[in-house]
Amino acid sequence: MPMQAAAQAQPNIALIKYWGKRDERLNVPAVPSLSITLESLWTRTQVRFDETLGEDRFMLDGKRDDAQFQRVSAMLERLRHHAGVSTFADVRSFNNFPTGAGLASSASGFAALVVAAIHALGLVLPLAELSALARQGSASAARSIFGGFVEMACGSRDDGQDAIARPLLAASSWPLEVAVAITAPGPKSIGSSMGMVHTARTSPFYRGWIEDAPRRLEVAREAVIARDFERLAEVSEASCLAMHGLALSASPGLLYWNGVTVELMHCVRELRSAGTPVFFTVDAGPQLKAVCLPGWSRDVAQCLAEVPGVREVRLSGLGDGARVLESKE
Ligand code: PMV
């Protein structure tokens, strides 16, 4: 049995946002979501189960990461339980982008961890099961198991086993491009889990958000299937702004943007009014992701880079789902 393996996963960007939990303990989302998996940002993770270890170990980008250790170790514990073993593991993870800054590092991180650890444990599981396992680390990680356009259900079962992602359309069938404008590289102040639980408890708009979720998903799904960019642009920006409106209406309100984020939103809307096929989305952090039709990301990136305060713009196409890396990679 191979006791060590490496895997790569890419972050995904939700166009239809998940915000709120149906079950906090099992980490089951309260709403369905729809995302695109990126290509050029990645997490690579090595997992080695080692009989000589007295506890799990976790290094991120070459340093011990105590902040994330509990979540990583809890995931390893679930996977050990699944495999019927008790051996501790040494986990080394690398991101080629800023961690914990609203760039979905937890999505790629937990997807890569699950795929590497399951392979190291000698198990072969269906993708749906990998997705359910990844969800328990970070719900958005369930989506990074798959590439291209991905849909995630919130399900209705008490055990959360139907809260899994599934592929909707291959990246090659509609190769949209993404320009990620980084406005602040540091970690965000309020993690998404804490933020969404706080929002659910205190926002008077939470019920409306939940009720409107199936409609938003349906519109986005149809737009993707029909390759209707305008429609996808409208529903995606509406989902993003509604999610942030929800966070803003919590008590105290959560404000994930900085001034540059807002300038970038105006910039994207001006570009679109002038005929550039682009729309924005923003997650639980101040970075803006501009999604555009194939061939447009360089022009869009140039405009975003000119907005004062933008530190860097990264370009990405749509990429594959999480996968095992052979040792030569
Ligand atoms: O899965 P988490 O806990 O990283 O939360 C993700 C929350 C958002 O990125 C804001 C929305 C989403 O659907 O990815």
Side-chain angles (χ1 to χ4, degrees), residues 216-233:
R216 287 192 302 262
L217 185 83
E218 184 72 27
V219 173
R221 184 198 294 127
E222 281 174 12
V224 168
I225 299 298
R227 324 286 202 271
D228 184 341
F229 189 82
E230 261 306 304
R231 207 148 174 241
L232 187 62

Side-chain angles (χ1 to χ4, degrees), residues 14 17-19 106 138-140 143 192-193 196 243 283-284:
K17 305 290 186 197
Y18 139 62
W19 196 256
S106 65
S138 171
S140 53
R143 300 187 306 236
S192 42
S193 265
M196 57 182 87
M243 181 206 110
D283 291 305

Side-chain angles (χ1 to χ4, degrees), residues 58 65-76 78 110:
F58 177 52
D65 188 323
D66 294 332
Q68 293 302 322
F69 176 79
Q70 291 303 338
R71 283 174 82 189
V72 169
S73 187
M75 175 57 81
L76 289 167
R78 272 179 220 115
F110 280 106

Side-chain angles (χ1 to χ4, degrees), residues 47-262:
V47 179
R48 183 171 52 86
F49 288 92
D50 182 340
E51 301 283 354
T52 66
L53 291 176
E55 58 180 3
D56 290 321
R57 283 200 215 140
F58 177 52
M59 307 256 286
L60 179 62
D61 294 330
K63 291 190 264 307
R64 252 181 60 167
D65 188 323
D66 294 332
Q68 293 302 322
F69 176 79
Q70 291 303 338
R71 283 174 82 189
V72 169
S73 187
M75 175 57 81
L76 289 167
E77 196 49 43
R78 272 179 220 115
L79 303 178
R80 277 191 285 266
H81 181 75
H82 212 86
V85 300
S86 55
T87 318
F88 291 111
D90 179 81
V91 177
R92 284 158 203 241
S93 209
F94 299 89
N95 289 334
N96 74 342
F97 60 99
T99 300
L103 288 174
S105 51
S106 65
S108 50
F110 280 106
L113 175 64
V114 166
V115 169
I118 287 292
H119 194 68
L121 288 164
L123 299 176
V124 179
L125 298 181
L127 293 175
E129 215 167 313
L130 293 175
S131 180
L133 285 166
R135 187 204 73 236
Q136 294 176 63
S138 171
S140 53
R143 300 187 306 236
S144 275
I145 295 293
F146 301 100
F149 295 80
V150 178
E151 183 178 334
M152 177 156 187
C154 53
S156 54
R157 280 172 53 161
D158 285 347
D159 64 4
Q161 283 301 98
D162 54 352
I164 51 172
R166 68 173 182 96
L168 181 61
L169 188 73
S172 57
S173 299
W174 200 22
L176 297 185
E177 297 172 357
V178 183
V180 181
I182 297 174
T183 66
K188 59 193 167 195
S189 49
I190 302 144
S192 42
S193 265
M194 201 192 280
M196 57 182 87
V197 170
H198 171 68
T199 308
R201 291 200 182 123
T202 62
S203 169
F205 303 145
Y206 188 67
R207 185 185 289 226
W209 164 257
I210 302 286
E211 281 170 4
D212 193 39
R215 184 201 62 83
R216 287 192 302 262
L217 185 83
E218 184 72 27
V219 173
R221 184 198 294 127
E222 281 174 12
V224 168
I225 299 298
R227 324 286 202 271
D228 184 341
F229 189 82
E230 261 306 304
R231 207 148 174 241
L232 187 62
E234 269 167 40
V235 72
S236 299
E237 285 192 1
S239 170
C240 164
L241 293 173
M243 181 206 110
H244 285 277
L246 193 63
L248 287 165
S249 68
S251 184
L254 303 177
L255 180 51
Y256 285 106
W257 307 333
N258 57 33
V260 187
T261 321
V262 178

